[in-house]
Amino acid sequence: IELTQAEAKLVNQHSGEKGKTLSAGTHNLTGKQARYYSRIRAIGDDQGRTERQRKVVMSLVNKMKTSDIFTINNALAKILGMITTNMSKNEVLALAANVMSYLEYPMEQNRVPVDGYYTNERVTISGLKADVLVPNLTENSRLLVEFLYENDVPDKVH
């Protein structure tokens, strides 16, 4: 992960990782460092925080792309027990069996709400003030469907 000096400083102070001091530059983060980096709210806005989260996910995927099948199977064995899904065990195992081919797919990312299709508002909830993003639901729904289906949007969705 490419860290700015401000991000490195916060990760050093708050990740709970002892003895691994980071500076600006590219680093292999520990789990604790990656978790805190993904949660930073003190720098930028919500979009910056979610961008950091996407960077961590993309970094993990890219690391898996260069891993052998045994490393991937070990990782799956460790994380599948921490996931709750409505898929059956057989459905999950069928997906896992094809993980090597899935890693070759190109990855694209998107963010909702989409830039230009929300407003910033300050609201009061239970006496506390909060800044929120209020999405234009119609446009964000349309743009999400276009992103997911690309040029093959089903008629039912229009």
Side-chain angles (χ1 to χ4, degrees):
I1 301 287
E2 180 77 24
L3 297 177
T4 66
Q5 186 57 45
E7 290 167 337
K9 180 179 178 185
L10 287 169
V11 171
N12 290 335
Q13 291 173 340
H14 302 290
S15 70
E17 189 67 71
K18 304 293 182 207
K20 297 196 180 230
T21 303
L22 303 173
S23 58
T26 302
H27 299 275
N28 285 317
L29 304 180
T30 67
K32 289 178 180 181
Q33 290 168 331
R35 181 181 58 208
Y36 185 79
Y37 170 78
S38 298
R39 294 177 174 175
I40 293 173
R41 290 181 179 268
I43 301 171
D45 54 16
D46 190 58
Q47 287 90 344
R49 183 178 56 84
T50 62
E51 182 179 349
R52 284 188 287 276
Q53 293 168 355
R54 291 190 306 275
K55 282 181 182 178
V56 169
V57 170
M58 289 300 297
S59 177
L60 290 169
V61 169
N62 288 333
K63 190 155 191 126
M64 285 292 117
K65 285 182 178 185
T66 61
S67 297
D68 60 61
I69 190 67
F70 300 109
T71 301
I72 293 171
N73 281 339
N74 285 337
L76 288 173
K78 288 179 183 176
I79 64 171
L80 286 177
M82 295 183 263
I83 296 173
T84 302
T85 179
N86 63 353
M87 296 171 64
S88 72
K89 185 174 183 178
N90 287 338
E91 289 171 315
V92 172
L93 291 175
L95 288 172
N98 294 311
V99 72
M100 294 301 282
S101 63
Y102 298 145
L103 287 172
E104 296 303 317
Y105 288 17
M107 287 191 61
E108 294 182 37
Q109 50 184 295
N110 199 359
R111 186 185 74 240
V112 176
V114 176
D115 287 343
Y117 294 95
Y118 66 89
T119 57
N120 289 304
E121 293 187 21
R122 178 159 282 223
V123 297
T124 303
I125 302 171
S126 301
L128 300 173
K129 293 187 186 289
D131 292 323
V132 297
L133 304 178
V134 180
N136 175 323
L137 293 178
T138 301
E139 287 302 307
N140 276 276
S141 295
R142 179 184 64 77
L143 292 165
L144 181 59
V145 166
E146 286 178 8
F147 176 77
L148 293 173
Y149 289 98
E150 296 176 331
N151 296 324
D152 195 25
V153 177
D155 290 332
K156 286 183 175 181
V157 181
H158 283 290

